Amino acid sequence: EAQVTQNPRYLITVTGKKLTVTCSQNMNHEYMSWYRQDPGLGLRQIYYSMNVEVTDKGDVPEGYKVSRKEKRNFPLILESPSPNQTSLYFCISRAAGGDTEAFFGQGTRLTVV
Amino acid sequence: AQRVTQPEKLLSVFKGAPVELKCNYSYSGSPELFWYVQYSRQRLQLLLRHISRESIKGFTADLNKGETSFHLKKPFAQEEDSAMYYCALRRGYQLIWGAGTKLIIKP
């Protein structure tokens, strides 16, 4: 089954404790991206990657890092989480090209206290 | 700048009534637009795309370049249509998202 898998689904952590949210896709997609979803603000892009070893900042990259060492994986790293990073995070993957559907992970709800 | 605007954060209609979820965009080129839906406790998923001009679950959306709109419509709302709806515009590899509209269908 084609899917995007995020882990963990839920996470409560303390300010400053490094964490990683994993994202894996089994569709051999070139493009992967991380978004955060906040009430009233919709989806805002954090980082994206157009292929292995190619990453770039989205609209709200501050406080986040990513890596793309393999095509299937695109982890999101919070080196020193802060309460304003409390949010719902989504990983997306798409094939290269124009009119291709974006596949979403199931989301990770992060709370930083 | 490219932008997608969904002016309504919340839309509440009665079952059987027509539904229109508004989406306006600003884009200098030829736009490619999508509607995504997120049902309760489920992940976001593609509902329809303007290129295919399809009707999915009774929903249609027509691209109006003159008004720069891509409104989502359904003539008779059903309770299972209650969800969060996002309009998105493709910009190269990226998708630009609207803020979303929460649709509530009242019985």
Side-chain angles (χ1 to χ4, degrees), chain A residues 1-57:
Chain A
E1 181 191 353
Q3 60 183 358
V4 179
T5 304
Q6 288 178 231
N7 278 296
R9 293 287 309 279
Y10 302 92
L11 180 60
I12 300 174
T13 190
V14 296
T15 299
K17 186 177 180 183
K18 180 180 177 180
L19 66 92
T20 299
V21 184
T22 63
C23 175
S24 180
Q25 50 97 0
N26 62 0
M27 295 166 279
N28 202 37
H29 285 167
E30 291 80 10
Y31 180 82
M32 298 183 75
S33 180
W34 277 102
Y35 285 82
R36 57 180 291 174
Q37 183 184 33
D38 300 291
L41 297 175
L43 290 162
R44 293 182 293 167
Q45 190 178 51
I46 302 170
Y47 268 94
Y48 64 97
S49 169
M50 291 195 285
N51 217 320
V52 175
E53 301 292 1
V54 181
T55 63
D56 210 343
K57 296 178 180 178

Side-chain angles (χ1 to χ4, degrees), chain B residues 16-82:
Chain B
V19 171
E20 182 178 67
L21 295 158
K22 292 185 167 53
C23 172
N24 290 90
Y25 67 91
S26 62
Y27 188 65
S28 55
S30 185
E32 292 179 38
L33 289 145
F34 306 82
W35 275 100
Y36 280 78
V37 60
Q38 186 179 25
Y39 300 104
S40 179
R41 300 185 186 282
Q42 294 186 29
R43 66 185 74 192
L44 269 145
Q45 56 188 288
L46 178 66
L47 180 62
L48 56 80
R49 64 194 89 186
H50 92 270
I51 283 179
S52 51
R53 302 181 67 81
E54 56 202 343
S55 173
I56 303 293
K57 300 184 179 183
F59 284 98
T60 58
D62 291 319
L63 178 62
N64 186 324
K65 291 186 179 180
E67 296 182 357
T68 59
S69 69
F70 187 57
H71 302 328
L72 184 68
K73 300 177 183 178
K74 184 170 184 176
F76 307 104
Q78 298 170 292
E79 287 187 66
E80 54 265 32
D81 296 328
S82 293

